[in-house]
Amino acid sequence: MSRSVTVRVPAKVNVQLAVGGPRPDGFHDLANVFLAVGLYDEVTVTPADTLRVTASGPGTDQIPLDATNLAARAAIALAERHGLAPDVHIHIIKDIPVAGGMAGGSADAAAALLACDTLWGTGASQPELLALCAELGSDVPFSLIGGAALGQGRGELLTPVPVGGTFHWVFAVADGGLSTPAVYRECDRLRGAAVIAAPEPAPVLLDALRTGDTTALAAALTNDLQPAALSLRPSLRETLDAGTHAGALAALVSGSGPTCAFLAKDAASAAALTTALLTSGTCRTARAAAAPAQGAVVVPTPAEATS
Ligand code: ATP
């Protein structure tokens, strides 16, 4: 039998990214409020003679197709834990911008883990899957659960955050990516010898999410990595300004960038903002997406969907 399993997994935007000073292990302590947004990758796993990765979609020439691909690493980690051979063909349909600060690679890792667990019938519990996710990367556990969550430690210690409404976002996707480690290094460089307070979640931001208050959320958005992303890619200032002039309630760099995120009043404003950004000449493309989005989920096969 050679059935396939497909998992759909969302991108994320950080609505708060408070970054502490560098730790001895090189990571930074974070207060990182993740919000899953409705831009998705799809990862399909099919039994094969050997582990193989293929990918389609924009930017896939920039992702490795060997065992270093995060989706392949996830399959290998799950197989090792259960004494199996990771012999699957992993196909990734990418819609999340590559190296865009929207956790695309992490999303693929979470999706591959869930897909392989389903294909192999390994029956991993949610805590087991989350522990494997945390070994694969700081943003991977959140990609599995979706919704909204506060990440502490290096971002992997998750507490779900309630969300009381729908938020309408527009994402301006840049040409080319930014390396997340390089952005953290630039953040440290810009801060120099300044004393950095321990990162704490902002109560006003968590309240805005809980009550579904778009205006309050717009006023509370923060990203400590934004100065570093702008320092490495000064042209992002023009992208942020284009969105602000076109009526966004708030504009910020998404995570480590270079994708820029804009919060809109409602779905109609998001559509208008998308059009304005597309014609602004300040980004490669612009996409509207609603939040919160569900985490990684197995997509029913056509037969399952109709039965
Ligand atoms: P984050 O927001 O978590 O910091 P990002 O969205 O900025 O991440 P990714 O799209 O995850 O960046 O890509 C980061 C790097 O990871 C890429 O440059 C690529 O070399 C590598 N990578 C490995 N596997 C994948 C994958 N499945 N998809 C995308 N990138 C991958």
Side-chain angles (χ1 to χ4, degrees):
M1 189 177 68
S2 125
R3 75 184 182 103
S4 296
V5 176
T6 297
V7 169
R8 190 181 81 149
V9 65
K12 60 84 184 163
V13 61
N14 305 88
V15 286
Q16 181 187 359
L17 184 42
V19 179
R23 311 192 308 198
D25 65 2
F27 288 103
H28 295 71
D29 274 324
L30 304 176
N32 186 354
V33 183
F34 297 101
L35 181 64
V37 301
L39 282 183
Y40 301 95
D41 280 359
E42 276 194 6
V43 175
T44 298
V45 296
T46 310
D49 292 338
T50 184
L51 179 64
R52 190 161 76 90
V53 183
T54 53
S56 58
T60 43
D61 54 328
Q62 296 159 53
I63 71 170
L65 297 178
D66 57 14
T68 65
N69 188 290
L70 281 166
R73 287 183 46 213
I76 292 166
L78 185 70
E80 270 176 3
R81 175 164 295 224
H82 291 274
L84 300 170
D87 293 339
V88 279
H89 171 201
I90 301 174
H91 183 65
I92 304 169
I93 301 180
K94 274 212 97 56
D95 199 27
I96 304 175
V98 173
M102 299 191 76
S106 303
D108 297 345
L113 205 54
L114 180 60
C116 288
D117 182 55
T118 307
L119 182 74
W120 295 333
T122 34
S125 62
Q126 175 92 335
E128 190 189 342
L129 288 178
L130 284 172
L132 275 169
C133 285
E135 284 170 26
L136 291 161
S138 309
D139 289 353
V140 184
F142 177 71
S143 297
L144 189 73
I145 67 168
L150 167 65
Q152 289 172 294
R154 59 182 166 84
E156 84 291 10
L157 306 171
L158 287 182
T159 311
V161 168
V163 182
T166 302
F167 296 103
H168 297 276
W169 291 88
V170 179
F171 296 95
V173 181
D175 264 325
L178 271 177
S179 147
T180 303
V183 175
Y184 274 96
R185 279 196 300 276
E186 181 67 358
C187 176
D188 291 337
R189 190 188 71 79
L190 291 174
R191 285 170 162 182
V195 177
I196 307 300
E200 296 289 349
V204 54
L205 177 116
L206 298 177
D207 274 353
L209 288 172
R210 189 174 45 76
T211 57
D213 185 335
T214 303
T215 310
L217 181 64
L221 295 169
T222 56
N223 179 2
D224 284 357
L225 291 181
Q226 179 160 314
L230 287 173
S231 170
L232 295 176
R233 190 75 70 86
S235 62
L236 294 181
R237 172 52 61 199
E238 287 159 38
T239 316
L240 293 172
D241 288 348
T244 305
H245 291 143
L249 297 180
L252 84 171
V253 170
S254 176
S256 54
T259 305
C260 291
F262 303 92
L263 188 56
K265 185 159 71 72
D266 50 27
S269 309
L273 187 52
T274 307
T275 307
L277 283 163
L278 282 170
T279 53
S280 70
T282 65
C283 55
R284 177 169 64 74
T285 189
R287 305 283 302 278
Q294 196 181 0
V297 63
V298 175
V299 178
T301 62
E304 286 165 345
T306 51
S307 66

